[in-house]
Amino acid sequence: MTAPSVPPPRVDGATGAPATGPATARAARAMLRSPARRSADPHWSDRYLPFAGVGVGGALLFGPFQRLLSDLSTPLPPAPPVTALVGLALAVAALAALTQVAAVAGPVLLTPADARWLLMSPLDRRAVLTPAVLRAAVTAVVVGVVLGGGTLSLLGIPDHGALRLAAAVVSGGSYALTGVGLAALAQRSERAAPWLRRIASGAAVLALLTGATVAAAGGAVRPLPTVPLPAALAAAAAGLLCALVTAVAVWRGLVTFPARPVLDAAARLSAAGDAVVALEPSFLSRVAENAYWRERRPPSRPWPAWPGPLVLAWLDWRGLRRRPARLAALALSTLVPVLLATVWPDRPLLFAAAVLVLGLAAASAGAGGVRRETGSPALRRLFGVAGLPTDAARLVLPALLAGAWLTGALALLEPAGALPGTGWAWLGPAAAGVPAVAALRMARRGHIDHASAPVVMPMTGSRIPLGWLTWTLSGLDVAVPGLLPLLLALSDPTAAPGPATAAQAALSALVLAGYLWRRHRRP
Amino acid sequence: MPAVVTRDLSVELGGGTVLDRVNLTAGTGQIVAVQGVNGCGKSTLLRCLSGLLRPGGGEVEVLGTAPSADPAFWREVGLLAEEPAWYPGLSVREHLELVALTHGGAAPVDRTLDEFELTSRAGASPLTLSSGQRQRLALATTMARPSRLLLLDEPEQKLDAGFRDRLAAMIRAYADAGGTVVLATHDAALVTAMNATSLRMRDGRLAEPGPVAR
């Protein structure tokens, strides 16, 4: 064995720079992007998906502005008072939600590897954190600009189109930047961060409830007075000032930004890294659940003396009961479709999509146990309980949650005038089984299979990996066809609820039976 | 001046007391090994010493100041805690080169690879290494760069018996050269081989509190 040796420690007691100084963060990042690690000669078609994504995204984002930009010299009438007020409430809620998401995610967020190798090093802290801060800032500005443009399209442009548009986008961008900046400042402090999260949640809830109240008031709402141009410009200037002050405070604080909250955020990112936002509520819920229980001690209660499958299913009931805020959030989210229907009454597909997505989210709240077990096969083996009774028992809670959520949402849509006739709430229990099956299917899909065989596109010759596609479609492949009677009825202004309820109940029974039969055949 | 001092260090997590008025002093050139059953507070103590956990009470001094976990702190302190997140696209050699780049003055990478028995896997991604090899790489990235204090949380885990002896000799050599080591361990043989000062921790309290005699 050769004589072991390690570099001589600094024993001179000096705390200054070492003889050979450490590199800059820029040099370290350049090394991480070393060309040696890149694949050789990428084909142009390899860039197809990113470019197509940016193109489609840009076209979608351009939509809200199209009407504004078409002719800024022509006065644009405001939306009906109810629509404008509800839209304003939704914009405020979105701004608060952005701050809340930023506070939960970081917003000063590094990947776990960067946090380990760059943050816990002698590299200049500001240089290490600057890219993360810029990412958060750009995201905030983009979201804020879209919100500002959308709000202006609701309030109308009586005069000075270009100035009003500038004021709207500057206001949106700067207030969003201020919110995310405040989240970055709060991230430094163990006391401030929970307070900011509470304030942002409270603001979002208040805005949603205000919007729902306005929507319920309907025709009784008076038209909004026109916002004078100086007031709009003053609001933009105030927002800009707030954003500047916050940005300077964040920038100055980066030098001494503590490592612990960034490491915590990186750990949360790591925990959420195997999930994607697309229709996968576990992304935020898993992060929030881990953070919630890290600070608390769960009460120990004896398990009921039931058969194994029922006890295993009871795990989800118990978990949900210990997080009453989740149930409250689900209950509150039943307002979202009615708010969307009030702001965009001519786009029934929009609130139908919201019903689909949020109904799935409600069912997914009862599938946490399956999701955890999918992520950890050892956990599944630990219980040693499987088979048809287990699958059937685990369907109950998701079905109950989805049924209750759909019933509530449809019962609210009916009096708001978004649906013709009466009796829509019966579609909720009739459809309950389908989101439950879809949620369990989503919970079992696990990680994206990046090793799946790619499909070669006949026109371009580029290879499209199938793993992410099958992952995304898992669950939706059951939910969309299984809820067709409900979705078709919601998007048809002349539909009657009776036949749709009957068709939906029959289809739900079919989906449930098919799911259980398939699980029985191939456990 | 002692490299590490804690006075009445207390920590509460999740409604329970994890550290209870811990008094610890580690002088320059000393190896202090904290032993105890799982959950007794060893890792929490190291997290406090590394500045990654703010104590609920008491004082902590590391190299003369409160641990700050800022860049100047990491220039002097090496921490081995749970397995780090690896860059999947970087090889073993590149991870070591990155450490050499960010810290400056690190040992030559080839020598480090040889000493930590990783030469044959230098071109591999850390994700393809065995768990023991990954532990050796984590140790290499912590020890193969200049520092004045090493905080090691169970450095012996997943290592084979042969390499444990080698690790003991490395840590002993580090301390003999003037470095200070505070480690948490379950391996009594390692403590003996390092000729370390052993402290017992139980339910968040050190069984032998007070200044540590070498």
Side-chain angles (χ1 to χ4, degrees):
Chain A
M1 190 175 84
T2 58
S5 65
V6 290
R10 298 188 179 96
V11 292
D12 56 356
T15 54
T20 309
T24 62
R26 185 186 292 259
R29 289 191 192 281
M31 184 182 174
L32 294 175
R33 288 193 301 269
S34 165
R37 295 193 353 264
R38 295 179 186 162
S39 58
D41 301 328
H43 191 257
W44 69 269
S45 56
D46 295 332
R47 311 272 184 207
Y48 171 75
L49 271 180
F51 275 113
V54 170
V56 172
L60 286 174
L61 290 180
F62 186 69
F65 296 98
Q66 200 174 12
R67 197 159 61 116
L68 299 175
L69 295 174
S70 58
D71 188 359
L72 287 172
S73 60
T74 309
L76 181 73
V82 176
T83 306
L85 271 176
V86 173
L88 207 59
L90 281 181
V92 172
L95 210 57
L98 175 73
T99 307
Q100 168 80 348
V101 169
V104 169
V108 182
L109 179 63
L110 296 178
T111 65
D114 279 349
R116 170 62 183 83
W117 301 100
L118 302 184
L119 185 75
M120 292 166 68
S121 79
L123 296 178
D124 177 56
R125 186 63 51 88
R126 178 187 281 163
V128 169
L129 296 179
T130 296
V133 172
L134 286 179
R135 276 195 297 273
V138 168
T139 307
V141 169
V142 168
V143 173
V145 163
V146 172
L147 285 176
T151 306
L152 182 66
S153 71
L154 292 170
L155 295 178
I157 305 178
D159 51 19
H160 300 92
L163 276 178
R164 283 186 180 273
L165 178 63
V169 296
V170 168
S171 293
S174 57
Y175 286 120
L177 194 60
T178 305
V180 173
L182 286 176
L185 291 174
Q187 192 180 358
R188 297 176 63 104
S189 159
E190 286 176 29
R191 290 182 183 171
W195 273 107
L196 183 73
R197 288 201 293 269
R198 279 185 208 118
I199 291 170
S201 302
V205 168
L206 202 63
L208 284 177
L209 288 175
T210 307
T213 309
V214 171
V221 178
R222 292 180 183 176
L224 287 173
T226 304
V227 180
L229 181 64
L233 292 175
L240 209 55
L241 187 67
C242 288
L244 269 175
V245 170
T246 315
V248 168
V250 170
W251 178 253
R252 291 177 60 137
L254 282 185
V255 178
T256 56
F257 206 90
R260 184 195 49 76
V262 183
L263 287 171
D264 289 347
R268 290 198 292 272
L269 177 70
S270 176
D274 55 353
V276 177
V277 184
L279 292 181
E280 176 52 85
S282 73
F283 174 77
L284 288 177
S285 67
R286 189 180 301 183
V287 171
E289 189 176 12
N290 288 348
Y292 182 86
W293 286 117
R294 200 174 290 122
E295 297 170 2
R296 289 168 179 81
R297 180 184 293 225
S300 287
R301 300 271 183 276
W303 289 98
W306 296 343
L310 290 180
V311 173
L312 204 55
W314 186 244
L315 188 148
D316 284 325
W317 290 77
R318 180 169 280 186
L320 201 63
R321 198 178 59 184
R322 289 178 179 177
R323 301 284 312 278
R326 292 189 71 189
L327 279 177
L330 280 177
L332 195 69
S333 69
T334 53
L335 296 173
V336 173
V338 74
L339 293 176
L340 291 175
T342 308
V343 180
W344 293 282
D346 53 341
R347 294 181 187 172
L349 274 180
L350 195 63
F351 68 79
V355 166
L356 171 72
V357 171
L358 291 173
L360 270 177
S364 289
V370 173
R371 199 159 38 240
R372 291 271 174 185
E373 288 166 29
T374 305
S376 169
L379 196 61
R380 193 166 57 238
R381 286 194 295 270
L382 179 71
F383 298 126
V385 178
L388 192 61
T390 305
D391 290 324
R394 288 190 135 167
L395 269 172
V396 176
L397 181 61
L400 202 67
L401 287 169
W405 190 92
L406 288 171
T407 304
L410 294 171
L412 286 170
L413 278 168
E414 197 178 290
L419 301 171
T422 55
W424 285 88
W426 289 108
L427 263 164
V434 178
V437 171
L440 288 179
R441 189 165 159 71
M442 285 167 76
R444 284 199 176 93
R445 64 190 165 185
H447 301 289
I448 299 174
D449 180 13
H450 292 292
S452 61
V455 170
V456 180
M457 300 297 285
M459 297 295 285
T460 62
S462 59
R463 282 171 287 186
I464 307 291
L466 273 184
W468 65 271
L469 190 64
T470 52
W471 185 90
T472 307
L473 292 180
S474 291
L476 284 180
D477 52 0
V478 171
V480 174
L483 290 174
L484 261 186
L486 169 69
L487 297 176
L488 288 176
L490 289 180
S491 50
D492 180 3
T494 61
T501 304
Q504 184 61 65
L507 194 53
S508 295
L510 204 64
V511 168
L512 278 172
Y515 170 77
L516 290 174
W517 179 77
R518 191 163 177 270
R519 295 288 303 171
H520 181 57
R521 289 285 301 270
R522 285 194 306 173
Chain B
M1 184 180 68
V4 174
V5 181
T6 71
R7 299 185 192 92
D8 292 332
L9 172 64
S10 298
V11 171
E12 288 197 3
L13 288 175
T17 301
V18 183
L19 291 182
D20 187 9
R21 290 164 289 160
V22 170
N23 291 295
L24 169 73
T25 304
T28 303
Q30 193 168 22
I31 304 173
V32 175
V34 181
Q35 294 179 275
V37 298
N38 297 139
C40 69
K42 304 185 297 293
S43 300
T44 304
L45 172 65
L46 290 181
R47 281 179 65 79
C48 287
L49 296 183
S50 64
L52 296 178
L53 184 66
R54 188 176 300 167
E59 294 177 22
V60 183
E61 273 185 25
V62 173
L63 302 175
T65 59
S68 57
D70 63 4
F73 180 83
W74 296 122
R75 190 178 296 135
E76 310 288 352
V77 179
L79 170 69
L80 176 82
E82 70 274 12
E83 184 178 335
W86 308 101
Y87 290 107
L90 286 186
S91 66
V92 167
R93 175 184 291 280
E94 284 174 318
H95 274 88
L96 290 170
E97 287 172 349
L98 179 64
V99 171
L101 184 75
T102 54
H103 287 272
V109 169
D110 283 329
R111 198 179 84 193
T112 306
L113 285 168
D114 182 49
E115 285 171 357
F116 287 85
E117 299 176 11
L118 290 167
T119 304
S120 62
R121 306 306 310 272
S125 164
L127 303 180
T128 64
L129 302 182
S130 73
S131 56
Q133 288 172 326
R134 281 205 298 276
Q135 177 69 359
R136 270 190 265 146
L137 177 56
L139 279 165
T141 57
T142 308
M143 298 180 70
R145 52 94 166 179
S147 63
R148 294 170 60 201
L149 170 66
L150 288 179
L151 303 172
L152 307 174
D153 192 357
E154 299 183 28
E156 77 281 3
Q157 61 176 324
K158 297 167 186 168
L159 296 178
D160 57 61
F163 196 83
R164 287 188 186 201
D165 295 340
R166 198 181 179 92
L167 175 68
M170 286 181 186
I171 294 176
R172 185 68 261 167
Y174 177 87
D176 288 343
T180 306
V181 183
V182 178
L183 74 156
T185 182
H186 292 289
D187 190 343
L190 183 73
V191 176
T192 306
M194 291 186 300
N195 192 22
T197 304
S198 176
L199 295 178
R200 285 274 163 192
M201 181 167 266
R202 187 174 178 182
D203 295 334
R205 302 196 71 170
L206 275 179
E208 300 165 31
V212 177
R214 188 174 176 186

